[in-house]
Amino acid sequence: MAPWPDGVGRRVLAEVDSTNAEAARLAPDLSGPTWVLGLRQTAGRGRRGRAWQSAEGNFAATLVMRVPDGPAFAAQRSFVAALALQDALAEATRRPEAIRLKWPNDVLLNGAKVAGILLESSGQGGTPGPLCVGIGVNLAQEPDAGTLEPDALAPTSVLSATGIRITPEEFLDLLAPAFATWETRLTTYGFDPLRRAFLDHAAKLGEVITARTAKDSLTGTFTDIDADGALVLTGAKGRVVLPAADIFF
Ligand SMILES: O=C(O)CCCC[C@@H]1SC[C@@H]2NC(=O)N[C@@H]21
């Protein structure tokens, strides 16, 4: 296992409402990037205002870090997080081929959702603050499918898919070094190596998928991720570039 990254802090809390909320509260007093791990999370937040259920034994943590201002810099950290999750889950499960990345913010194990990423800025009053990279992983239990939206991808957990038990603290020891490695690659070589690595592990590349944006629903072949991290679909309307969407398959 790689060592804990230099200069990165760690706070472990027995119970927290949301690690993203706690990270935002702590941010003004932190001197460097810090992981906030909640062993019990009572009001976990998912994307698009959804709730995130964090059952006992699951991983709920947020890395609070400073990035240059601008949405591109924040969005690149969701690729850092996804690739770090790919590495950490591959190490934990010893089944790298079973793990795929669902653009932009989910991780699949045997085709079912095992992890999600939620990026939030901790800024207040219009001033951007440090970025909160929230990560939830179903280590021990998956949510009851009946509690999810009807078109949500089926959930799974590391335990039910593989029989492997790993604690949140052990998982953080895998994830934090992996995140630091991808962050260093990004800041040293730029976004392209991350784009290529993501494509190597992307779910449904070359297949027909449906992407829903706030305004539209588009079906086409998932052909690429562009230099800004946007999804490229090719279909009846030609090549369509979607900076933000939810994808369904
Ligand atoms: O798939 C999603 O909708 C994203 C889920 C992100 C959940 C994590 S759990 C740790 C962190 N704290 C939160 O309140 N949410 C994120």
Side-chain angles (χ1 to χ4, degrees), residues 187-208:
T187 52
T188 309
Y189 304 110
F191 180 61
D192 198 52
L194 281 75
R195 178 189 153 268
R196 287 170 188 279
F198 195 100
L199 283 168
D200 282 345
H201 299 293
K204 303 288 175 187
L205 184 66
E207 296 182 40
V208 174

Side-chain angles (χ1 to χ4, degrees), residues 61-141:
T62 299
L63 176 66
V64 54
M65 62 187 294
R66 291 198 175 274
V67 295
D69 287 350
F73 294 106
Q76 287 171 350
R77 270 58 193 192
S78 84
F79 286 82
V80 173
L83 290 161
L85 278 166
Q86 165 84 36
D87 288 349
L89 284 164
E91 199 170 340
T93 63
R94 299 182 289 281
R95 289 169 177 78
E97 70 296 336
I99 299 151
R100 307 304 288 173
L101 303 179
K102 177 174 176 274
W103 183 91
N105 280 319
D106 291 330
V107 184
L108 312 183
L109 174 59
N110 293 339
K113 177 163 170 171
V114 70
I117 300 161
L118 173 67
L119 297 188
E120 293 178 319
S121 166
S122 69
Q124 282 173 352
T127 314
L131 181 68
C132 294
V133 183
I135 297 178
V137 186
N138 301 329
L139 294 179
Q141 301 180 55

Side-chain angles (χ1 to χ4, degrees), residues 18-20 41 43-47 50 52 54 59-62 106 113 116-118 134-136:
S18 151
T19 57
N20 271 30
Q41 190 176 237
R45 308 203 281 242
R47 290 194 305 279
R50 294 183 281 246
W52 177 265
S54 306
F59 180 84
T62 299
D106 291 330
K113 177 163 170 171
I117 300 161
L118 173 67
I135 297 178

